[in-house]
Amino acid sequence: MKDRYSITERLDQGGMAEVFRGVAESIHGFKKNVAIKRILPSLTKNDKFVAMFLDEAKLSLHLQHANIVQVFDIGIADGSYFLVMEYIDGCNLKHLLERLKQRGKRIAPAHAIYIMIETCKALNYAHHAEGPDGNPLHIVHRDISPPNILLSKNGEVKVVDFGLAKANTQIESTDPGVVKGKFSYLSPEAASGLEVDRRADIFAVGILLWEMFTGRRLFYGDTDYQTVELVRQARVPSIGALNPEIDAELEAIVRKALARDPDQRYQEAADLGDALAQYLFSRRMKVTARDIAALVRDVQAEQQRKRSLAPKHESLIDALIMEEMDKLTSLLEDDDPVADRAQAAPLDPASFVDTSAWASELGLDESGAVDAPPAVIHSAPPRRATPAADAPDPADNEIESLQQMLEPDRTGVHHFDGPGRGVWIALVIAVLLAGGIGAALFLFKDRIF
C-alpha cells in the first residue's frame, strides 16, 4: 500500500515548479512531513521534457547522502507530475542572501566557505555515484544555484533537484520565464553548447563563492543573450577590489574554480572542498552547523512575520492542487530497489486531464445548456509557467488571470448554441396573444416544462 499524501501549505514557487509542505501517511497511520514539488502543467506539454524528467527523477532515487535531499516518490495526478522529497525545515540560500541584503549585510566569508564545503561533499558523492549494477551514473547537476541549496534550522546544508536539473537545461521551450535566471550559473562550455562534465558544477560553485564574497551577481546581462555571452567570456572582476576582507589566497581559490578552460579548474569537487577547508584551518576560522542555524532562524522568523500579515484565504488553485494529490498515482516500478512500498502503481493514462469532462462538471449538457447545478470542479486547464522572480517577464500581459479564465464567455456557462428556454416562452406568449391557448400549451409543453 503506497503512502497517501496531503498538502498543508505552499512554500515556494518558480518558473518550473511550485513546492508545498505535505504529510505522508502510511497504512498504519504513521505520518511524516514531506516536501511535494509540483511540475507546472504547461511543461508537461513537452514530451521530451516529460521523458527526461522521469528518467532523471528516477535516477535521483539512488542518491543517498547527508548533503543531498532524498527523493521518496514520483507520481502523477490529473496530468501534473509530483516529486515527493525529504522536507527540510529551514530556507534556501537565495532567501538567506536576500534577508542579509535586506539588513544591509553580506554573508560572512567563513560562513560562505562552510556552506560551499558542504555543497562540494554532495557534488563529489553524486559525480562518483554508481547504479545498482555497479556502473557509474555520470551525474552532473548542471543547476547549482542559490535556490537549489537548502539550509535547515539545524545548520545542515543539502543540495536539491539532482533529478530535475539535467532536464531543465535541455528543455526545448520558448515559454517566457521557464529557464529565466538559470543562464547565470552555466559554465562557459555549457553556454557554448558543448558537452559538460562534473567540472561544470565546480564552475557553478565558483560563481556562488564570488557572489557571496562580493554581494553582486557575476554573470547577469539585460537579456538572456547578454548573460550567455558574459558566461562564455568568463571575465571575472577582482574580488579584493569589491571586498577587502577577501585576501589573495582565497581569491586564488575562487579564480581557479572559475577558470574558463575546464582543464585549468579543480578537477574534482572534493579538491575544491579541500582547498576551502585548508584555508579555514590555516586561518583558524571556526565555523560549525550552529553558526548556519542561527542565520536560518533569522530568515524563518522574517518569513513567519510575512505569513502572519498575508491574507488568510485559500485560493481556488490551491484547492484544486489538494484535490489532485488525492488522485496521485506513483510511477515507481514494483521492482525498484530503493522503493520501500509494497506496491507501486504503473502510469495510468486515465489520470491525465480529460478536457471533454469540463462541460459536464460545470453542469452543462452536450449542447451547452445547463442541466444541473455546477458540481465541484476536479480538473483545471493547465496554467502558464510562472516567470522567475529575479527577472521581469516581457509577456506578463499575455498571462491569463483566474478571473479571466472564469469569465462567462470563456466558460460557456451563459453562452448557448441553440434557442434557450426564454425563446420558447416568448413564442408561447405570441401564440397566446393570437388566441390559441389550448394549441400553444399542447405544442410547446415539452419546451416549457
Side-chain angles (χ1 to χ4, degrees):
M1 177 71 178
K2 73 181 183 66
D3 291 339
R4 175 182 174 85
Y5 304 109
S6 59
I7 288 176
T8 57
E9 65 174 317
R10 185 194 299 265
L11 297 176
D12 203 359
Q13 183 171 331
M16 288 191 61
E18 47 196 350
V19 183
F20 301 85
R21 180 179 179 177
V23 176
E25 183 175 359
S26 69
I27 190 173
H28 299 295
F30 175 76
K31 296 181 180 181
K32 67 177 178 181
N33 288 327
V34 294
I36 300 172
K37 174 166 284 191
R38 178 181 186 253
I39 309 305
L40 294 180
S42 60
L43 295 179
T44 62
K45 299 175 184 178
N46 187 307
D47 294 337
K48 182 178 179 181
F49 172 80
V50 171
M52 292 168 60
F53 160 70
L54 292 177
D55 287 344
E56 296 297 325
K58 289 180 180 179
L59 187 69
S60 68
L61 293 166
H62 297 284
L63 300 179
Q64 299 184 37
H65 188 273
N67 296 111
I68 295 178
V69 174
Q70 179 71 49
V71 176
F72 300 133
D73 199 0
I74 309 162
I76 184 172
D78 285 344
S80 294
Y81 289 90
F82 293 82
L83 280 179
V84 182
M85 304 176 293
E86 172 187 7
Y87 172 67
I88 307 301
D89 188 2
C91 67
N92 62 37
L93 181 58
K94 177 182 178 181
H95 291 156
L96 171 61
L97 298 178
E98 288 176 345
R99 172 59 176 158
L100 290 171
K101 185 176 181 180
Q102 180 185 23
R103 298 172 58 191
K105 296 182 178 181
R106 270 195 301 249
I107 187 170
H111 295 163
I113 292 172
Y114 178 87
I115 292 173
M116 288 300 100
I117 289 175
E118 297 296 292
T119 300
C120 284
K121 291 178 183 178
L123 291 175
N124 189 68
Y125 166 82
H127 293 164
H128 296 280
E130 297 179 346
D133 56 3
N135 293 323
L137 294 175
H138 300 293
I139 294 176
V140 182
H141 191 290
R142 301 172 185 248
D143 190 20
I144 294 299
S145 55
N148 286 335
I149 298 176
L150 307 187
L151 310 170
S152 82
K153 66 179 183 180
N154 297 318
E156 301 161 300
V157 179
K158 291 178 178 279
V159 179
V160 70
D161 272 359
F162 272 94
L164 190 60
K166 185 175 182 180
N168 177 23
T169 58
Q170 297 183 15
I171 182 173
E172 294 181 351
S173 172
T174 57
D175 290 344
V178 172
V179 292
K180 201 75 171 178
K182 301 297 183 182
F183 299 120
S184 297
Y185 299 95
L186 292 176
S187 63
E189 57 271 25
S192 300
L194 303 176
E195 198 67 32
V196 302
D197 56 27
R198 58 181 177 268
R199 295 172 295 182
D201 289 343
I202 293 172
F203 190 88
V205 172
I207 296 176
L208 290 176
L209 285 167
W210 193 96
E211 292 185 347
M212 285 190 286
F213 290 157
T214 64
R216 301 185 183 186
R217 296 290 294 272
L218 179 54
F219 303 124
Y220 194 73
D222 294 332
T223 64
D224 289 339
Y225 177 79
Q226 291 180 7
T227 299
V228 169
E229 282 301 308
L230 291 173
V231 174
R232 286 174 179 167
Q233 297 169 13
R235 295 174 181 170
V236 181
S238 169
I239 300 176
L242 299 172
N243 184 357
E245 289 186 71
I246 307 303
D247 60 26
E249 182 180 346
L250 183 53
E251 179 160 357
I253 295 174
V254 179
R255 286 191 171 278
K256 184 171 182 178
L258 289 173
R260 188 175 187 276
D261 182 356
D263 292 335
Q264 300 302 314
R265 295 176 206 153
Y266 293 99
Q267 299 301 291
E268 301 281 352
D271 295 338
L272 174 55
D274 286 347
L276 293 171
Q278 177 59 37
Y279 180 84
L280 283 183
F281 295 152
S282 66
R283 297 298 190 278
R284 296 186 178 182
M285 301 170 73
K286 172 183 167 291
V287 186
T288 67
R290 187 176 183 180
D291 299 302
I292 306 304
L295 297 175
V296 173
R297 284 196 298 270
D298 176 67
V299 177
Q300 286 189 303
E302 176 64 15
Q303 291 175 336
Q304 182 60 38
R305 186 188 68 83
K306 290 181 178 179
R307 279 196 293 268
S308 66
L309 298 177
K312 303 295 183 182
H313 68 275
E314 179 180 280
S315 69
L316 174 60
I317 294 299
D318 286 347
L320 292 174
I321 294 171
M322 291 183 184
E323 281 193 30
E324 287 180 11
M325 292 306 301
D326 289 335
K327 308 172 187 177
L328 188 141
T329 301
S330 176
L331 299 183
L332 296 181
E333 298 177 354
D334 293 342
D335 58 353
D336 194 322
V338 297
D340 293 330
R341 47 199 56 77
Q343 277 191 329
L347 176 63
D348 181 10
S351 297
F352 283 85
V353 174
D354 181 5
T355 58
S356 64
W358 293 350
S360 62
E361 290 174 348
L362 287 170
L364 308 177
D365 59 23
E366 293 182 357
S367 66
V370 177
D371 67 2
V376 177
I377 302 175
H378 294 291
S379 300
R383 294 183 294 156
R384 296 175 61 91
T386 304
D390 61 352
D393 184 356
D396 279 343
N397 57 347
E398 298 179 6
I399 299 178
E400 298 175 327
S401 67
L402 182 60
Q403 181 178 359
Q404 290 174 317
M405 292 166 61
L406 298 179
E407 288 176 353
D409 60 344
R410 302 294 299 279
T411 62
V413 173
H414 303 297
H415 181 73
F416 305 128
D417 294 331
R421 185 175 178 180
V423 175
W424 293 111
I425 291 176
L427 290 175
V428 170
I429 293 173
V431 174
L432 288 174
L433 293 176
I437 297 177
L441 292 174
F442 177 79
L443 290 174
F444 298 103
K445 61 183 178 67
D446 293 335
R447 296 294 185 179
I448 301 174
F449 308 104

Coordinates of all heavy atoms in Angstrom, one line a residue, residues 315-367:
S315 N -6.9 29.9 -2.0 CA -7.3 30.2 -3.4 C -7.9 28.9 -4.0 O -7.7 27.8 -3.6 CB -6.0 30.6 -4.2 OG -5.1 29.5 -4.3
L316 N -8.6 29.1 -5.2 CA -9.2 28.0 -5.9 C -8.1 27.1 -6.4 O -8.2 25.9 -6.4 CB -10.0 28.6 -7.1 CG -10.6 27.6 -8.0 CD1 -11.5 26.6 -7.3 CD2 -11.3 28.3 -9.1
I317 N -7.0 27.7 -6.9 CA -5.9 26.9 -7.4 C -5.3 26.0 -6.4 O -5.1 24.8 -6.6 CB -4.8 27.8 -8.0 CG1 -5.3 28.5 -9.2 CG2 -3.6 26.9 -8.4 CD1 -5.7 27.7 -10.4
D318 N -5.1 26.5 -5.1 CA -4.6 25.6 -4.1 C -5.6 24.5 -3.8 O -5.2 23.3 -3.5 CB -4.4 26.4 -2.8 CG -3.1 27.3 -2.9 OD1 -2.3 27.1 -3.8 OD2 -3.0 28.2 -2.0
A319 N -6.9 24.8 -3.8 CA -7.9 23.7 -3.5 C -7.8 22.7 -4.6 O -7.9 21.5 -4.3 CB -9.3 24.4 -3.5
L320 N -7.6 23.1 -5.9 CA -7.5 22.1 -7.0 C -6.3 21.2 -6.8 O -6.4 20.0 -7.1 CB -7.5 22.8 -8.3 CG -8.8 23.6 -8.7 CD1 -8.6 24.4 -10.0 CD2 -9.9 22.6 -8.9
I321 N -5.2 21.8 -6.4 CA -4.0 21.1 -6.2 C -4.1 20.0 -5.1 O -3.7 18.9 -5.2 CB -2.8 22.0 -6.0 CG1 -2.5 22.9 -7.2 CG2 -1.5 21.2 -5.6 CD1 -1.5 23.9 -7.0
M322 N -4.8 20.4 -4.1 CA -5.0 19.5 -3.0 C -5.9 18.3 -3.4 O -5.7 17.2 -3.0 CB -5.7 20.2 -1.8 CG -4.7 21.2 -1.1 SD -5.5 22.0 0.3 CE -4.2 23.1 0.8
E323 N -6.9 18.6 -4.3 CA -7.7 17.5 -4.9 C -6.8 16.6 -5.7 O -7.0 15.4 -5.7 CB -8.8 18.1 -5.7 CG -10.0 18.6 -4.9 CD -11.2 18.9 -5.7 OE1 -11.4 18.2 -6.8 OE2 -12.0 19.8 -5.4
E324 N -5.9 17.2 -6.5 CA -5.0 16.4 -7.3 C -4.3 15.4 -6.5 O -4.1 14.2 -6.9 CB -4.1 17.3 -8.1 CG -4.7 18.1 -9.2 CD -3.7 18.9 -10.0 OE1 -2.5 18.7 -9.7 OE2 -4.1 19.8 -10.7
M325 N -3.8 15.8 -5.3 CA -3.0 14.9 -4.5 C -3.8 13.7 -4.1 O -3.2 12.6 -3.8 CB -2.5 15.7 -3.3 CG -1.4 16.7 -3.6 SD 0.0 16.1 -4.5 CE 0.6 14.8 -3.5
D326 N -5.1 13.8 -3.9 CA -5.9 12.7 -3.6 C -5.9 11.6 -4.7 O -6.2 10.4 -4.4 CB -7.3 13.1 -3.3 CG -7.4 13.9 -2.0 OD1 -6.6 13.7 -1.1 OD2 -8.4 14.7 -1.9
K327 N -5.5 12.0 -5.9 CA -5.5 11.1 -7.0 C -4.1 10.7 -7.5 O -3.9 10.1 -8.5 CB -6.2 11.8 -8.2 CG -7.6 12.3 -7.9 CD -8.2 13.1 -9.1 CE -9.4 13.8 -8.7 NZ -9.9 14.7 -9.9
L328 N -3.1 11.1 -6.7 CA -1.7 10.8 -7.1 C -1.5 9.3 -7.2 O -1.8 8.5 -6.4 CB -0.8 11.4 -6.0 CG 0.7 11.4 -6.5 CD1 1.4 12.6 -6.0 CD2 1.4 10.2 -5.9
T329 N -0.9 9.0 -8.4 CA -0.5 7.6 -8.7 C 1.0 7.5 -8.8 O 1.6 8.3 -9.5 CB -1.1 7.2 -10.1 OG1 -2.5 7.3 -10.0 CG2 -0.7 5.8 -10.4
S330 N 1.6 6.6 -8.0 CA 3.1 6.5 -8.0 C 3.5 5.9 -9.4 O 2.9 5.1 -10.0 CB 3.5 5.6 -6.9 OG 4.9 5.4 -7.0
L331 N 4.7 6.4 -9.9 CA 5.2 6.0 -11.1 C 6.4 5.0 -10.9 O 7.1 4.6 -11.8 CB 5.7 7.2 -12.0 CG 4.6 8.2 -12.4 CD1 5.2 9.3 -13.2 CD2 3.5 7.5 -13.1
L332 N 6.7 4.7 -9.6 CA 7.8 3.8 -9.3 C 7.4 2.4 -9.7 O 6.3 1.9 -9.4 CB 8.2 3.9 -7.9 CG 8.7 5.2 -7.4 CD1 9.1 5.1 -5.9 CD2 9.9 5.6 -8.2
E333 N 8.3 1.6 -10.3 CA 8.1 0.2 -10.6 C 8.1 -0.7 -9.4 O 8.8 -0.4 -8.4 CB 9.1 -0.2 -11.7 CG 9.0 0.6 -13.0 CD 10.0 0.2 -14.0 OE1 10.9 -0.7 -13.6 OE2 10.0 0.7 -15.1
D334 N 7.4 -1.8 -9.5 CA 7.4 -2.7 -8.4 C 8.7 -3.2 -7.9 O 9.0 -3.5 -6.8 CB 6.5 -3.9 -8.7 CG 5.0 -3.5 -8.9 OD1 4.7 -2.4 -8.4 OD2 4.3 -4.3 -9.5
D335 N 9.6 -3.4 -8.9 CA 10.9 -4.0 -8.6 C 12.0 -2.9 -8.3 O 13.2 -3.2 -8.4 CB 11.4 -4.9 -9.7 CG 11.5 -4.1 -11.1 OD1 11.1 -3.0 -11.1 OD2 12.0 -4.8 -12.0
D336 N 11.6 -1.7 -8.1 CA 12.6 -0.6 -7.8 C 13.3 -0.9 -6.5 O 12.7 -1.1 -5.4 CB 11.8 0.7 -7.7 CG 12.8 1.9 -7.7 OD1 13.9 1.8 -7.1 OD2 12.4 2.9 -8.3
P337 N 14.6 -1.1 -6.5 CA 15.4 -1.5 -5.3 C 15.4 -0.5 -4.2 O 15.6 -0.8 -3.1 CB 16.8 -1.7 -5.9 CG 16.9 -0.8 -7.1 CD 15.5 -0.9 -7.7
V338 N 15.1 0.8 -4.5 CA 15.1 1.8 -3.5 C 13.7 2.2 -3.0 O 13.6 3.0 -2.1 CB 15.8 3.1 -4.0 CG1 17.2 2.8 -4.3 CG2 15.1 3.7 -5.2
A339 N 12.7 1.5 -3.5 CA 11.3 1.8 -3.0 C 11.0 0.9 -1.9 O 11.1 -0.3 -2.0 CB 10.3 1.7 -4.2
D340 N 10.4 1.5 -0.8 CA 10.1 0.7 0.4 C 8.7 0.2 0.4 O 8.2 -0.5 1.3 CB 10.4 1.5 1.7 CG 11.9 1.7 1.8 OD1 12.7 0.9 1.4 OD2 12.2 2.7 2.4
R341 N 7.9 0.7 -0.5 CA 6.5 0.4 -0.5 C 6.2 -0.9 -1.1 O 6.9 -1.4 -2.0 CB 5.7 1.5 -1.3 CG 6.3 1.8 -2.6 CD 5.8 3.2 -3.1 NE 6.0 4.2 -2.2 CZ 7.2 4.8 -2.0 NH1 8.3 4.4 -2.7 NH2 7.4 5.8 -1.1
A342 N 5.1 -1.6 -0.7 CA 4.8 -2.9 -1.2 C 4.4 -3.0 -2.6 O 4.8 -3.9 -3.4 CB 3.6 -3.5 -0.3
Q343 N 3.7 -1.9 -3.1 CA 3.3 -1.9 -4.5 C 3.3 -0.5 -5.0 O 3.0 0.4 -4.3 CB 1.8 -2.4 -4.7 CG 1.7 -3.9 -4.7 CD 0.3 -4.4 -5.2 OE1 -0.6 -3.7 -4.9 NE2 0.3 -5.5 -5.9
A344 N 3.7 -0.3 -6.2 CA 3.8 1.0 -6.9 C 3.0 0.9 -8.1 O 3.3 0.1 -9.0 CB 5.2 1.5 -7.1
A345 N 1.9 1.7 -8.3 CA 1.1 1.6 -9.5 C 1.8 2.1 -10.7 O 2.5 3.1 -10.6 CB -0.2 2.4 -9.2
P346 N 1.5 1.5 -11.9 CA 2.1 2.0 -13.1 C 1.4 3.2 -13.6 O 0.4 3.7 -13.1 CB 1.9 0.8 -14.1 CG 0.6 0.2 -13.6 CD 0.7 0.3 -12.1
L347 N 2.0 3.9 -14.6 CA 1.4 5.1 -15.2 C 0.1 4.8 -15.8 O -0.1 3.8 -16.5 CB 2.4 5.6 -16.3 CG 1.9 6.8 -17.1 CD1 1.7 8.0 -16.1 CD2 2.8 7.1 -18.2
D348 N -1.0 5.5 -15.4 CA -2.3 5.3 -15.8 C -2.7 6.5 -16.7 O -2.9 7.6 -16.3 CB -3.2 5.3 -14.6 CG -4.7 5.0 -15.0 OD1 -4.9 4.7 -16.2 OD2 -5.6 5.1 -14.1
P349 N -2.9 6.2 -18.0 CA -3.3 7.3 -19.0 C -4.6 8.0 -18.5 O -4.8 9.2 -18.8 CB -3.4 6.6 -20.3 CG -2.6 5.3 -20.2 CD -2.7 4.9 -18.7
A350 N -5.4 7.3 -17.8 CA -6.7 7.9 -17.4 C -6.5 9.0 -16.4 O -7.4 9.8 -16.1 CB -7.6 6.8 -16.8
S351 N -5.3 9.1 -15.8 CA -5.0 10.1 -14.8 C -4.8 11.5 -15.4 O -4.8 12.5 -14.8 CB -3.8 9.7 -13.9 OG -4.1 8.6 -13.2
F352 N -4.6 11.5 -16.8 CA -4.3 12.8 -17.4 C -5.6 13.6 -17.5 O -6.7 13.1 -17.5 CB -3.7 12.6 -18.8 CG -2.3 12.2 -18.8 CD1 -1.9 10.9 -18.6 CD2 -1.3 13.1 -18.9 CE1 -0.6 10.5 -18.6 CE2 0.0 12.8 -18.9 CZ 0.4 11.5 -18.7
V353 N -5.4 14.9 -17.6 CA -6.6 15.8 -17.7 C -7.4 15.5 -19.0 O -6.8 15.5 -20.1 CB -6.1 17.3 -17.7 CG1 -7.3 18.2 -18.0 CG2 -5.5 17.6 -16.4
D354 N -8.7 15.2 -18.8 CA -9.6 15.0 -19.9 C -10.5 16.2 -20.1 O -11.4 16.5 -19.3 CB -10.4 13.7 -19.7 CG -11.4 13.4 -20.8 OD1 -11.3 14.1 -21.9 OD2 -12.2 12.5 -20.7
T355 N -10.2 17.0 -21.1 CA -10.9 18.3 -21.3 C -12.4 18.1 -21.6 O -13.2 19.0 -21.5 CB -10.3 19.1 -22.4 OG1 -10.2 18.4 -23.6 CG2 -8.9 19.5 -22.0
S356 N -12.7 16.9 -22.1 CA -14.1 16.6 -22.5 C -15.0 16.6 -21.3 O -16.2 16.7 -21.4 CB -14.2 15.3 -23.2 OG -13.8 14.2 -22.4
A357 N -14.5 16.4 -20.1 CA -15.3 16.3 -18.9 C -15.6 17.7 -18.3 O -16.4 17.8 -17.4 CB -14.6 15.5 -17.9
W358 N -14.9 18.7 -18.8 CA -15.1 20.1 -18.2 C -16.5 20.5 -18.2 O -17.0 21.1 -17.3 CB -14.1 21.1 -18.8 CG -12.7 20.8 -18.5 CD1 -12.2 19.9 -17.6 CD2 -11.6 21.4 -19.1 NE1 -10.8 20.0 -17.6 CE2 -10.4 20.9 -18.5 CE3 -11.4 22.4 -20.1 CZ2 -9.1 21.3 -18.9 CZ3 -10.1 22.8 -20.5 CH2 -9.0 22.2 -19.9
A359 N -17.1 20.4 -19.4 CA -18.5 20.9 -19.6 C -19.5 20.2 -18.6 O -20.3 20.9 -18.0 CB -19.0 20.6 -21.0
S360 N -19.4 18.9 -18.5 CA -20.3 18.2 -17.6 C -20.1 18.5 -16.1 O -21.0 18.6 -15.4 CB -20.2 16.7 -17.8 OG -18.9 16.2 -17.4
E361 N -18.8 18.8 -15.8 CA -18.5 19.2 -14.4 C -19.0 20.6 -14.1 O -19.2 20.9 -12.9 CB -17.0 19.0 -14.1 CG -16.6 17.6 -14.1 CD -15.1 17.5 -14.0 OE1 -14.4 18.5 -14.1 OE2 -14.6 16.3 -13.7
L362 N -19.2 21.4 -15.1 CA -19.7 22.7 -14.9 C -21.2 22.8 -14.9 O -21.9 23.8 -14.8 CB -19.2 23.7 -15.9 CG -17.7 24.1 -15.7 CD1 -17.2 24.9 -16.9 CD2 -17.5 24.9 -14.4
G363 N -21.8 21.6 -15.1 CA -23.3 21.5 -15.2 C -23.9 21.7 -16.5 O -25.0 22.2 -16.6
L364 N -23.1 21.4 -17.6 CA -23.6 21.7 -19.0 C -23.9 20.3 -19.7 O -23.1 19.4 -19.4 CB -22.6 22.5 -19.8 CG -22.2 23.8 -19.1 CD1 -21.1 24.5 -20.0 CD2 -23.3 24.7 -18.9
D365 N -24.9 20.3 -20.5 CA -25.1 19.1 -21.4 C -24.3 19.3 -22.6 O -23.6 20.3 -22.8 CB -26.5 18.8 -21.6 CG -27.2 19.9 -22.3 OD1 -26.5 20.7 -23.0 OD2 -28.5 20.0 -22.2
E366 N -24.4 18.4 -23.6 CA -23.5 18.4 -24.8 C -23.9 19.6 -25.7 O -23.0 20.1 -26.4 CB -23.7 17.1 -25.6 CG -23.1 15.9 -24.9 CD -23.3 14.7 -25.7 OE1 -23.9 14.7 -26.8 OE2 -22.8 13.6 -25.3
S367 N -25.1 20.1 -25.6 CA -25.5 21.3 -26.4 C -25.0 22.6 -25.8 O -25.1 23.6 -26.4 CB -27.0 21.3 -26.5 OG -27.6 21.6 -25.3

